[in-house]
Amino acid sequence: MAFHLQHGQEFRVTRCDPYLPTSIDGMRRYLGSGLVKGIGPVMAARIVERFGEDALQVIEQQPDRLLEVPGSAGSGWG
């Protein structure tokens, strides 16, 4: 714990382990949350519909495949 003069007692983080979503719904929500530039809720749903559980892997390792998603052409990805 730490103490802040204005806010009082606070937690002090010593470790943070981020986890990417593994479920279809989790991926849709993660991608549509605004954390990934250029992907909103509608496009996130299309990406997950097209690539399923491989959606995050495709974005990371084969971003050119995003052009397979309806509505992605001209969006600045390719």
Side-chain angles (χ1 to χ4, degrees), residues 10-58:
E10 300 177 329
F11 289 104
R12 178 168 289 160
V13 176
T14 58
R15 181 178 171 171
C16 177
D17 296 324
Y19 293 95
L20 291 175
T22 56
S23 71
I24 296 293
D25 186 54
M27 286 185 210
R28 189 179 303 116
R29 287 185 288 133
Y30 172 76
L31 291 172
S33 70
L35 290 173
V36 181
K37 184 179 178 183
I39 301 178
V42 173
M43 186 55 67
R46 291 177 184 168
I47 291 169
V48 173
E49 182 178 328
R50 172 66 182 93
F51 300 114
E53 293 180 352
D54 296 329
L56 296 178
Q57 182 180 357
V58 168

Side-chain angles (χ1 to χ4, degrees), residues 61-76:
Q61 298 175 4
Q62 301 171 310
D64 54 312
R65 290 194 61 203
L66 291 171
L67 294 174
E68 299 172 23
V69 178
S72 65
S75 66

